[in-house]
Amino acid sequence: MSLEVPLQALPEHRTRLAPRQVRPRRRSAERRYLNRELSWIDFDARVLGLAADPALPLLDRVRFCAIASSNLDEFFAVRVAELHDQAATGAMRRAADGRTPAETLADAQRAIVELQATQDALWLEDLRPALADAKIRICRPDECRPRELRSLTKHFEREVLPLLTPLAVSRGSGFPHVSSLGLNVGVLLAQEEEPSFVCIGVPQDVPRFLVVGARGVRVPIEDALVYFLPSLVGAAAHDHGVFRVTRDADLFVASDADELLDALETQLRRRRFGDVVRLEVSATMPGAIRELLLTALAIGPDQLYETAAPLGLAGLAELASQGPDELKRKPWRPVTSSQFTTGSGTALLAKIRRRDLLAHHPYDAYDTSVERFVAASEDAKVAALKATVYRTGNPSRTLASLVEAADAGKHAVCLVELMARFDERQNIEWSRALERAGVHVVYGAPDLKIHAKLCLLVRRERGGLRSYVHIGSGNYHASNASAYEDLSLFTADEEIAADVVDVFNAVTGHTQPTVFRKLLVAPWFLRDGLLHEIDRVGQAAAAGEAARIRLKVNALVDPEIVDALYAASGAGATVEAITRGICVLRPGVPGLSERVTVRSVLGPFLEHSRIISFQAGDRVSTWIGSADLMPRNLDRRIEVLAPVEDASLRARIGDVLDALLADTRFAWELGSEGAWSRVDPAPDEQPVSAQERLMEEALRRGKKSR
């Protein structure tokens, strides 16, 4: 059975909390907030900073260089595309920092040019020579030895040439379709009448680097293609150049779409032909080809970006994954601590029945915690399994458990978010497979994504039904769990479980909940709940009591939340924010945010968990879950933050925050003017890595369980 009717329109925020006092803004928007797009570019610069860090293993640095490029690709496809649309229509609605879309776009373009120049120099002057010293040689064909060139020729003719299709552009034919983010070679052919143009696209399943010979030589595919142009277009090649386009990747599905899957599939097909928002060209690209491309792609010169390094350095991920282990960080093996050392899912449920459990990934093993919990649905006494899917791996233990539960005649429900960006196709395929297996599949509405990470088991026990719940900050994705830092809370608390039931029922039944017992759930009560907690801390500070807010999120963007944090700081509270990516809050501004600090911690693992801790006098409340502090998360998504009520688990989460705030190895601090600076240890101290410290603590927990 499939329910495809979109959810009802968002309700007004309703809450039983005391009304909050609205504080007037005291400063101009420009001084009060940073620009979110420029803040994102700063984040990518920090990632590139790791690629430049000589203390890291070489292939880890190469991987960070690839991540920085991949991040920038997505930024263009989503954020820059939107800015272009707004600027083109003359939209004058200003962002929180006071910039118009056109002003933000212009400033972002300047920052991106600077960022790419830094990356070009890093690759050409540092990483590539270092790889050569490590016998990973990135060479052009004309730099190969005769035997290597023969090997390259044989490989190209057998494995690449049959996949290539030169497409000529003539007066009677339009410009060929150019795939987003694919590599292309444009060629001007010298002919008697006038030069003609040929476009050759590199299939995206062809390796980026062709390995030849025994010296560790790798030839970039675009360089090989240029070298073998005569075999493709004859000897008439006059000028040539490598180029790459980025297309608008945003999707629009009407909120009243009757057939959501069909509408989304139509949009996915259209994404391939989205407007071009960026044209990248090699520095050696002839001017005639540049002008031809700008005209054919119907874009302006401000959308052209020149690079001296190879285009699409996201392809360096291939080098990073294939290189020798001695050039990489020693892989981390997650630990199974005593609370999860149990032979079966049923035994795990018995432990959860006695007390709440917490897993911290990737330090704690995902398979013996989350996957074992989901697999407990095999227990004959389990009557129902419900789960959310935003992104998931292949294979997926969660989806397999849903199928097995349906096969066993149990009630199986999956809330699938079809609009998870760039995973839409996979989620469509999963949803259809689940439906065929008899799972009840329900989709989020286009304007109300299901982003909460929830799993519910209902078991028949003595005295009636008992519900067991997993609430996490990460997706049900086993491979991501080895690289993403996330938290998982397991509980049988009756009120939390009842709230989770209500979340599922609100989505599947298209109802608007009136109240939740313990959870903070968006879009209904999360914003007001957080503002109430912040205000409580501010009141404690004003009364001379202990007052502290510590938060860890991926992005801190929402102006109302930022204003509330400013107000708490002004009342005397200490605010310590850890934001991996975007932050629009200005810390350390006299009279506004003097007691606010902001830092970003990166490192080998992707910091992904969301933690918010409030201390007001003797009362400390700690929340974990799926929500970042952005308007979309607070107002336009199904998000859940859960209270951590067990004192020992709260203390453990406090230790995580302590470690991140003490990091002097992978941390940056934000200044009041919006500049990020790398945190260095004191002259007589060794750098301290929060992630290494947490790995050591996980190993100690693992030893205790043996």
Side-chain angles (χ1 to χ4, degrees):
M1 177 182 180
S2 173
L3 302 175
E4 300 184 13
V5 181
L7 301 182
Q8 297 176 9
L10 297 183
E12 295 295 325
H13 294 296
R14 289 173 292 165
T15 177
R16 296 180 179 180
L17 303 177
R20 292 175 288 101
Q21 180 181 358
V22 178
R23 297 174 176 84
R25 296 184 177 182
R26 294 172 295 168
R27 292 175 179 267
S28 66
E30 291 84 350
R31 292 295 303 161
R32 198 171 184 85
Y33 311 104
L34 299 170
N35 182 272
R36 62 162 288 170
E37 317 302 348
L38 299 181
S39 181
W40 187 96
I41 296 169
D42 286 341
F43 159 63
D44 214 27
R46 296 196 295 278
V47 176
L48 203 58
L50 294 180
D53 189 339
L56 288 174
L58 178 57
L59 288 180
D60 284 5
R61 296 175 61 196
V62 171
R63 180 171 63 88
F64 281 119
C65 188
I67 291 171
S69 277
S70 179
N71 287 346
L72 194 58
D73 288 344
E74 183 173 344
F75 183 70
F76 267 96
V78 180
R79 299 303 306 170
V80 175
E82 182 176 348
L83 288 172
H84 267 292
D85 287 345
Q86 293 172 348
T89 60
M92 297 301 295
R93 182 177 180 180
R94 296 181 181 273
D97 69 307
R99 285 178 172 87
T100 65
E103 291 169 342
T104 297
L105 179 60
D107 289 343
Q109 288 172 325
R110 283 190 287 270
I112 289 167
V113 168
E114 182 178 341
L115 179 69
Q116 287 203 271
T118 300
Q119 187 175 31
D120 285 359
L122 175 64
W123 170 252
L124 295 171
E125 300 170 13
D126 188 350
L127 293 179
R128 179 174 168 172
L131 286 168
D133 291 342
K135 298 183 179 180
I136 301 175
R137 299 178 174 89
I138 312 302
C139 298
R140 297 189 309 272
D142 57 10
E143 297 172 322
C144 292
R145 294 176 177 176
R147 180 176 295 180
E148 293 164 349
L149 189 55
R150 288 194 296 270
S151 173
L152 174 64
T153 302
K154 183 177 180 180
H155 182 86
F156 186 86
E157 291 178 346
R158 288 186 175 183
E159 303 296 331
V160 180
L161 185 59
L163 300 174
L164 301 177
T165 304
L167 296 171
V169 178
S170 64
R171 293 180 180 178
S173 64
F175 197 82
H177 173 69
V178 179
S179 299
S180 185
L181 304 180
L183 289 171
N184 307 273
V185 175
V187 187
L188 279 177
L189 301 181
Q191 297 178 345
E192 292 183 3
E193 302 83 8
E194 60 183 26
S196 63
F197 184 75
V198 174
C199 179
I200 308 169
V202 178
Q204 295 193 10
D205 56 350
V206 172
R208 179 62 191 273
F209 298 94
L210 305 180
V211 181
V212 296
R215 288 194 307 138
V217 169
R218 290 163 170 80
V219 178
I221 183 63
E222 66 271 27
D223 289 344
L225 198 161
V226 167
Y227 184 80
F228 292 109
L229 273 178
S231 64
L232 285 157
V233 299
H238 173 61
D239 275 328
H240 59 77
V242 181
F243 70 96
R244 186 172 180 258
V245 303
T246 307
R247 295 183 180 274
D248 185 346
D250 204 11
L251 299 176
F252 173 75
V253 178
S255 59
D256 59 350
D258 293 330
E259 298 293 336
L260 190 57
L261 259 69
D262 291 342
L264 180 56
E265 287 189 312
T266 299
Q267 288 297 311
L268 287 173
R269 288 191 292 271
R270 290 177 179 171
R271 175 187 273 171
R272 295 180 55 239
F273 301 93
D275 293 340
V276 173
V277 294
R278 174 178 60 165
L279 169 63
E280 295 174 274
V281 301
S282 58
T284 57
M285 169 78 78
I289 298 181
R290 295 185 189 209
E291 292 302 319
L292 187 153
L293 290 173
L294 289 175
T295 301
L297 298 172
I299 60 174
D302 63 321
Q303 293 173 273
L304 185 145
Y305 294 81
E306 177 185 297
T307 175
L311 303 183
L313 287 180
L316 293 177
E318 184 181 302
L319 285 181
S321 64
Q322 295 175 356
D325 291 343
E326 58 266 24
L327 298 179
K328 304 176 187 177
R329 175 181 62 89
K330 182 179 178 181
W332 164 252
R333 293 186 177 181
V335 171
T336 299
S337 59
S338 58
Q339 58 184 344
F340 294 106
T341 51
T342 177
S344 68
T346 302
L348 177 60
L349 296 184
K351 288 189 174 183
I352 296 171
R353 189 162 58 246
R354 290 192 290 271
R355 63 172 298 182
D356 293 352
L357 302 181
L358 184 76
H360 191 195
H361 316 293
Y363 311 104
D364 293 322
Y366 182 82
D367 58 344
T368 54
S369 56
V370 176
E371 290 191 333
R372 183 169 289 169
F373 174 83
V374 177
S377 59
E378 299 172 356
D379 184 327
K381 293 183 179 180
V382 171
L385 170 63
K386 301 183 181 184
T388 61
V389 168
Y390 189 77
R391 304 186 197 276
T392 190
N394 187 11
S396 167
R397 179 65 254 180
T398 300
L399 299 185
S401 293
L402 284 163
V403 170
E404 291 163 4
D407 286 343
K410 300 178 181 182
H411 188 57
V413 177
C414 187
L415 307 187
V416 178
E417 180 46 66
L418 294 176
M419 299 288 288
R421 184 173 286 128
F422 304 120
D423 277 352
E424 299 97 343
R425 173 60 59 189
Q426 177 170 278
N427 284 2
I428 288 174
E429 294 171 355
W430 277 124
S431 65
R432 286 178 168 154
L434 291 170
E435 286 181 316
R436 288 194 297 269
V439 177
H440 296 275
V441 178
V442 181
Y443 309 123
D447 55 352
L448 187 59
K449 286 187 177 182
I450 302 168
H451 194 248
K453 324 300 182 184
L454 303 173
C455 184
L456 170 71
L457 292 172
V458 182
R459 189 171 185 266
R460 291 188 175 91
E461 298 181 358
R462 186 178 301 172
L465 295 175
R466 183 186 296 272
S467 294
Y468 298 83
V469 170
H470 166 257
I471 301 174
S473 63
N475 300 304
Y476 293 100
H477 199 305
S479 59
N480 280 1
S482 64
Y484 283 45
E485 178 272 342
D486 275 302
L487 286 165
S488 287
L489 176 68
F490 303 86
T491 184
D493 180 277
E494 291 184 0
E495 291 185 299
I496 290 179
D499 280 348
V500 171
V501 170
D502 286 347
V503 173
F504 278 100
N505 290 345
V507 177
T508 61
H510 310 301
T511 59
Q512 298 179 9
T514 57
V515 68
F516 286 93
R517 301 156 189 83
K518 289 186 176 181
L519 298 183
L520 295 179
V521 183
W524 301 289
F525 305 105
L526 179 51
R527 175 184 291 278
D528 286 330
L530 291 177
L531 292 171
H532 179 75
E533 290 279 4
I534 295 171
D535 194 55
R536 188 196 296 268
V537 175
Q539 291 178 24
E545 299 178 303
R548 186 185 195 190
I549 299 171
R550 298 202 290 177
L551 60 92
K552 176 183 181 294
V553 291
N554 296 323
L556 175 54
V557 173
D558 188 79
E560 190 175 14
I561 296 293
V562 169
D563 284 347
L565 294 173
Y566 286 154
S569 167
T574 298
V575 179
E576 297 165 310
I578 305 164
T579 63
R580 186 191 81 217
I582 306 170
C583 179
V584 304
L585 178 152
R586 287 185 183 271
V589 177
L592 179 68
S593 56
E594 292 171 280
R595 296 175 180 82
V596 181
T597 59
V598 177
R599 64 165 35 205
S600 176
V601 179
L602 301 181
F605 303 136
L606 183 79
E607 293 289 335
H608 191 252
S609 66
R610 290 85 167 182
I611 304 169
I612 308 180
S613 177
F614 304 97
Q615 180 181 3
D618 295 332
R619 179 182 179 273
V620 177
S621 63
T622 300
W623 304 79
I624 68 166
S626 60
D628 282 311
L629 299 180
M630 304 178 72
R632 71 184 189 191
N633 299 90
L634 302 177
D635 302 327
R636 301 189 299 277
R637 289 187 173 189
I638 303 292
E639 303 272 14
V640 168
L641 289 181
V644 179
E645 298 183 317
D646 183 290
S648 63
L649 300 186
R650 252 195 336 266
R652 184 176 166 193
I653 292 174
D655 289 342
V656 172
L657 295 175
D658 288 341
L660 293 167
L661 291 168
D663 191 295
T664 57
R665 179 66 184 89
F666 295 110
W668 282 256
E669 288 185 346
L670 179 61
S672 60
E673 295 303 313
W676 291 88
S677 57
R678 190 83 180 253
V679 175
D680 294 319
D684 57 343
E685 295 180 356
Q686 291 295 314
V688 176
S689 164
Q691 294 186 356
E692 290 178 4
R693 172 179 159 184
L694 293 169
M695 282 188 272
E696 292 169 357
E697 292 179 0
L699 290 172
R700 284 195 291 271
R701 289 196 303 271
K703 289 178 181 178
K704 291 180 181 178
S705 63
R706 294 175 185 172

